[in-house]
Amino acid sequence: GIQVEQSPPDLILQEGANSTLRCNFSDSVNNLQWFHQNPWGQLINLFYIPSGTKQNGRLSATTVATERYSLLYISSSQTTDSGVYFCAVRPDYKLSFGAGTTVTVRA
Amino acid sequence: DAGVIQSPRHEVTEMGQEVTLRCKPISGHNSLFWYRQTMMRGLELLIYFNNNVPIDDSGMPEDRFSAKMPNASFSTLKIQPSEPRDSAVYFCASSSQTGWSQPQHFGDGTRLSIL
């Protein structure tokens, strides 16, 4: 099956810092989604981004499908950004998830 | 619009008991997925329904697990008998159309603890 690798596995930020999370995948996909799992365990849809660039407030994402990677940018991080960020790709009907990046934002 | 609704949010029960998890997909969505999240294996697909028909149940761990979708607005995942290793967070997700490019929308999950 398709391999999804996320880096870094862990990230500690000071409030206000910027960061970039990366997702590499091993095969072509029809869909790519970024999720934030908050401390309560909820999976929050951040972006649906099979290609191109999107922005939503302090977050933005870019997917270069031909090179099989996606980037998630967090700017001016806040403590509420803490949690696990998952990249998930959809080569067929199911989503295949990466292992996630655990982000801790310190005040 | 209401999102995917799962119940219960938390379930604690003793080994050997039957557990039933419930899911109401987003209205109009015709694809429904059950995922399980554990520390060891991360998020993995258990079963996929399309138009209420199970299409792929290869991720169901064993015969103790069963899932049904009697209509377009309701699905259940049942574990009988439950075991401590079934403890995990179970997510239900739905997406529109049969095309594989559509985003999946997740419920809040059911945190299951088997004692």
Side-chain angles (χ1 to χ4, degrees), chain A residues 24-45:
Chain A
N24 292 331
F25 44 98
S26 60
D27 207 345
S28 58
V29 297
N30 293 293
N31 177 13
L32 186 145
Q33 292 180 248
W34 282 97
F35 295 89
H36 175 215
Q37 188 164 37
N38 62 24
W40 294 271
Q42 296 170 311
L43 274 172
I44 309 299
N45 258 312

Side-chain angles (χ1 to χ4, degrees), chain B residues 17-89:
Chain B
Q17 297 298 306
E18 178 178 290
V19 173
T20 299
L21 311 182
R22 297 172 175 80
C23 175
K24 176 179 170 57
I26 292 172
S27 178
H29 283 189
N30 63 354
S31 294
L32 184 138
F33 309 82
W34 283 98
Y35 290 87
R36 180 171 68 174
Q37 185 179 29
T38 61
M39 290 293 292
M40 291 295 294
R41 299 173 67 90
L43 277 149
E44 53 182 349
L45 179 71
L46 298 178
I47 187 168
Y48 158 53
F49 290 89
N50 189 53
N51 291 325
N52 313 337
V53 176
I55 303 300
D56 180 3
D57 65 355
S58 60
M60 296 286 263
E62 46 197 275
D63 292 345
R64 298 184 296 105
F65 286 69
S66 62
K68 294 182 180 179
M69 193 165 184
N71 57 61
S73 59
F74 184 65
S75 177
T76 59
L77 177 67
K78 188 173 293 187
I79 308 173
Q80 168 63 21
S82 57
E83 297 183 2
R85 59 191 169 126
D86 302 330
S87 298
V89 181

Side-chain angles (χ1 to χ4, degrees), chain A residues 1-2 9 13 19-20 34-35 37 39 41 44-45 48 52 58 67 75 78 98 100 104 106:
Chain A
I2 193 167
L13 301 170
S19 64
T20 301
W34 282 97
F35 295 89
Q37 188 164 37
I44 309 299
N45 258 312
Y48 159 60
R58 296 180 296 101
E67 298 187 21
S75 65
Q78 300 177 357
T104 303
R106 293 179 172 165

Side-chain angles (χ1 to χ4, degrees), chain A:
Chain A
I2 193 167
Q3 303 300 311
V4 184
E5 295 182 354
Q6 291 187 243
S7 59
D10 299 281
L11 192 57
I12 298 176
L13 301 170
Q14 201 63 35
E15 199 169 29
N18 302 328
S19 64
T20 301
L21 283 58
R22 187 176 179 103
C23 171
N24 292 331
F25 44 98
S26 60
D27 207 345
S28 58
V29 297
N30 293 293
N31 177 13
L32 186 145
Q33 292 180 248
W34 282 97
F35 295 89
H36 175 215
Q37 188 164 37
N38 62 24
W40 294 271
Q42 296 170 311
L43 274 172
I44 309 299
N45 258 312
L46 296 178
F47 294 102
Y48 159 60
I49 185 167
S51 63
T53 297
K54 291 186 177 180
Q55 180 149 11
N56 184 1
R58 296 180 296 101
L59 301 180
S60 63
T62 295
T63 296
V64 184
T66 52
E67 298 187 21
R68 299 179 184 168
Y69 74 89
S70 184
L71 303 173
L72 178 70
Y73 306 95
I74 305 174
S75 65
S76 304
S77 58
Q78 300 177 357
T79 56
T80 52
D81 295 330
S82 295
V84 183
Y85 290 79
F86 289 102
C87 167
V89 300
R90 196 175 182 186
D92 46 44
Y93 51 83
K94 69 180 181 184
L95 277 175
S96 295
F97 285 81
T101 293
T102 300
V103 173
T104 303
V105 182
R106 293 179 172 165

